[in-house]
């Protein structure tokens, strides 16, 4: 729909212009820094940064009611820059002009109610939000759309040129980084660092296909992260890890979309997310806080962060009930089917600690919870979800296992309705499904397949001539082949012949 066709009181707001004054703010020493610099950590104290508005009250000049209408009407616009996460422009990178925005189809992923029988089996009411339906098949595209739109803006401004974007990755960050960087090539080139043999073949194929320089490094993600930090400290490269606060900003759109999907009423809602480097849960908390403070939502939903017992540093931190005595200890990770979250020393831990306190204070009660699940539970619920018609990756399975755990611990009550983050598309992780079905999981995963969940292809090998490539069967051979094979399948499926009528 064209802008002039919208109600007159909405028209002035419909197509946003660059507004606000953004700055980086250090979480520790509170120092602020100019947004036109590519900064990742505080130059004064080394702590991580978040992006803040110097005048947050500017958003309150428009009522919550009007914002809701603006976002709802923007759904009907066909401007590419506003079709993705920048529907919420004023709440994200509001300084960006629309012609700097990179839109590759990210965001507005479906919220799908879990099938009735699955909700019954799980003993809870819930939806999946399918973030695997993003362009590179994970939620990381939200953050990359933001980070690369910002870089594109700096290029347009003439502040930077010939960018080399780098990241360390458990697989999905590099897929997203390579995709968005390639879209801006040749002005932007990308290099990605992956832990050798710790990403799936599909995730390795993605940055290779998008033309990134791909380095496989011995060790785990935490080791790659150290190398990338050293690189960005000594060389002129743009860091695309979630240490980059622009990534967090883009990922806040996940919360905005949930608000809009539920008509801005989040009473009794529980948002369940897996935790790896903790960028996602950081963004999810910030997103809801922003909408709450602008009066767009009246209630903050509960948030449940889930970790596997093979990579659980955030869970352990919150086991200490007294905030004053909490001490963060990195862990050594064990092999995990939630491989994209297999991180022992999350970069965003200081952001999480800061925001959990803020979130709980605003909610007036404990509202952010952390649970831990086993690899077995993750795999079993991942498979069960998909056998009920969903497209949950292993991390989506982790969320479902985590929801059950949160119900058991009474963090979630019987009337609550959960929204589970299916963070990636399951085809990225089909190797784990194969290991389960073929009973070939290495012991270190601690997964023993449940026979009832195993599925195998059945190879049909009829007697007599069979067609082969370039050699079809003759007119007499074909009917016999078709009859033999269909009889085999009918027997295998225990079908009864239709009665002749
Ligand atoms: C990155 C990722 C996670 C973990 O998110 P963090 O922001 O690192 O906590 C979970 N699932 C998938 C599929 C991911 O790609
Ligand atoms: Zn500082």
């Amino acid at each position: 729909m064209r802008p002039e066709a919208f109600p007159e009181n909405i028209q002035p707001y419909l197509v946003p212009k660059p507004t606000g004054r953004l700055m980086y703010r250090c979480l520790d020493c509170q120092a602020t820094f100019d947004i036109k610099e590519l900064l990742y950590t505080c130059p004064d104290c080394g702590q991580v940064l978040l992006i803040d508005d110097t005048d947050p009250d500017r958003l309150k000049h428009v009522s919550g009611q009007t914002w809701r209408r603006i976002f709802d009407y923007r759904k009907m616009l066909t401007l590419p820059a506003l079709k993705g996460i920048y529907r919420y422009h004023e709440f994200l990178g509001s300084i960006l002009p629309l012609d700097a925005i990179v839109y590759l189809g990210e965001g507005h992923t479906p919220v799908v109610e879990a099938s009735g029988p699955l909700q019954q089996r799980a003993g809870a009411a819930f939806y999946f939000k399918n973030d695997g339906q993003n362009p590179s098949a994970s939620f990381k595209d939200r953050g990359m759309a933001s980070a690369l739109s910002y870089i594109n803006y700096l290029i347009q401004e003439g502040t930077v040129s010939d960018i080399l974007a780098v990241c360390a990755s458990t697989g999905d960050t590099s897929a997203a980084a390579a995709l968005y960087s390639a879209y801006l090539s040749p002005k932007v080139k990308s290099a990605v660092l992956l832990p050798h043999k710790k990403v799936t073949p599909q995730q390795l194929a993605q940055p290779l296909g998008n033309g990134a320089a791909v380095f496989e490094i011995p060790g785990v993600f935490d080791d790659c992260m150290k190398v990338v930090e050293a690189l960005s400290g000594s060389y002129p490269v743009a860091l695309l890890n979630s240490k980059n606060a622009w990534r967090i900003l883009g990922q806040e759109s996940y919360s905005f979309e949930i608000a809009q999907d539920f008509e801005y009423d989040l009473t009794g809602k529980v948002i369940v997310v897996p935790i790896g480097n903790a960028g996602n849960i950081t963004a999810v908390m910030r997103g809801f806080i922003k909408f709450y403070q602008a009066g767009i939502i009246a209630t903050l939903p509960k948030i449940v962060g889930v970790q596997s017992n093979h990579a659980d540093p955030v869970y352990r931190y919150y086991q200490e009930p007294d905030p004053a005595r909490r001490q963060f200890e990195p862990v050594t990770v064990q092999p995990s089917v939630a491989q994209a979250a297999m991180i022992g020393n999350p970069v965003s831990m200081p952001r999480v600690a800061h925001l959990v306190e803020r979130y709980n204070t605003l909610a007036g009660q404990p509202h952010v919870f952390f649970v831990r699940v086993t690899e077995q539970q993750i795999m079993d619920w991942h498979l069960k979800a998909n056998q009920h018609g969903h497209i949950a990756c292993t991390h989506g399975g982790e969320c479902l296992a985590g929801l059950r755990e949160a119900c058991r611990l009474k963090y979630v009550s019987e009337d609550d309705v959960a929204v589970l983050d299916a963070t990636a598309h399951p085809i990225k992780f089909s190797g784990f499904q194969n290991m389960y079905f073929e009973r070939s999981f290495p012991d270190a995963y601690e997964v023993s397949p449940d026979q009832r969940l195993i599925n195998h292809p059945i190879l049909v090998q009829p007697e007599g001539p069979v067609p082969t490539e370039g050699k079809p069967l003759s007119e007499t051979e074909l009917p016999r082949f078709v009859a033999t094979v269909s009889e085999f399948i009918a027997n295998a499926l225990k079908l009864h012949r239709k009665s002749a009528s």
Side-chain angles (χ1 to χ4, degrees), residues 392-427:
C393 63
T394 47
H395 314 80
E398 182 178 15
C399 288
L400 181 44
L403 172 61
R404 283 174 52 87
E405 181 64 4
C407 290
R408 191 183 71 79
L409 293 167
K410 305 258 185 293
Y411 296 155
V412 172
S413 71
E414 285 192 0
D415 318 322
D416 286 339
V417 175
V419 182
L420 275 45
D421 195 346
T423 45
H425 199 287
I427 50 173

Side-chain angles (χ1 to χ4, degrees), residues 168 193 195 217-229:
L193 279 66
I217 316 282
V220 294
F221 170 82
D222 297 288
D223 304 304
C224 292
M225 192 64 214
K226 287 275 177 282
V227 177
V228 151
E229 283 171 352

